[in-house]
Amino acid sequence: MSTEPTNELTPLNIAILTVSDTRGFDEDASGQFLEDSAVAAGHQLISRRILPDDVYLIRAAMSSWIADPDIHAIIITGGTGFSERDSTPEAVIPLLDKSIEGFGEEFRRLSASEIGSSTIQSRAFAGLANHTVIFCLPGSTGACRTGWNGILNTQLDSRHAPCNFSALVQRKPQRAVERLHEVIGNRATR
């Protein structure tokens, strides 16, 4: 965590993933809220996707973003409940280098004033992987609003004291990500 806030915002590059079996882009109010909020806060949206609640599709997208040196933060909405298809924690937690235990605790504390004891059914969590901070929120727009306004907005802001994640994620190592999609040889096309 950074302990040296600055006077000017250092914009972060953010990717947003909506996990849903039913939403398309036009119905993705939660993803749109997160995009609008991040851009309004001065950050840059690098990528936004909607994927079904499938562990392997989520892991593939997340692995690519985690390896990408241009992505500092990932915000996921959806798949954090207890239904049979909710699998965001199972998909993402194995990819983390470190957990941010306080995120889920603080999210549930904030949402308790809005939804009471139903907040215990949220498996919101956060962590770090390859100098990328990852926040996983429930799929409702209200939950995204709670998470953004109560935690993410300040923790992604380089000016927030006494600490934030801005300086840490900007130390992300450079990697030849383009090599992930490089095809060598043509034996498969024969």
Side-chain angles (χ1 to χ4, degrees), residues 25 45 109 143 158 186:
F25 188 77
L45 181 71
R109 186 190 70 77
S158 58
N186 60 2

Side-chain angles (χ1 to χ4, degrees), residues 8 46 48 52 57 64 73 86 93 110 113 115 123 141 153 157 160 167-168 172 183:
E8 292 184 31
I46 297 297
R48 181 172 161 205
L57 292 176
S64 178
D86 288 330
I93 288 173
L110 291 170
S113 65
I115 63 171
R123 296 190 298 155
T141 306
N153 190 33
D157 190 327
H160 180 71
L168 177 66
K172 191 169 184 175
V183 178

Side-chain angles (χ1 to χ4, degrees), residues 57-139:
L57 292 176
I58 295 167
R59 281 185 189 160
M62 292 296 297
S63 294
S64 178
W65 284 348
I66 289 166
D68 189 330
D70 293 330
I71 295 178
H72 301 121
I74 301 168
I75 306 170
I76 303 173
T77 175
T80 61
F82 283 95
S83 78
E84 290 178 16
R85 293 285 296 163
D86 288 330
S87 59
T88 298
E90 290 75 18
V92 177
I93 288 173
L95 302 175
L96 299 178
D97 298 328
K98 296 181 185 217
S99 294
I100 304 170
E101 302 297 335
F103 176 81
E105 296 165 358
E106 180 65 0
F107 176 81
R108 285 181 284 280
R109 186 190 70 77
L110 291 170
S111 71
S113 65
E114 299 166 9
I115 63 171
S117 67
S118 294
T119 193
I120 67 167
Q121 294 193 31
S122 166
R123 296 190 298 155
F125 68 97
L128 293 164
N130 188 36
H131 292 274
T132 307
V133 65
I134 301 161
F135 299 102
C136 300
L137 297 165

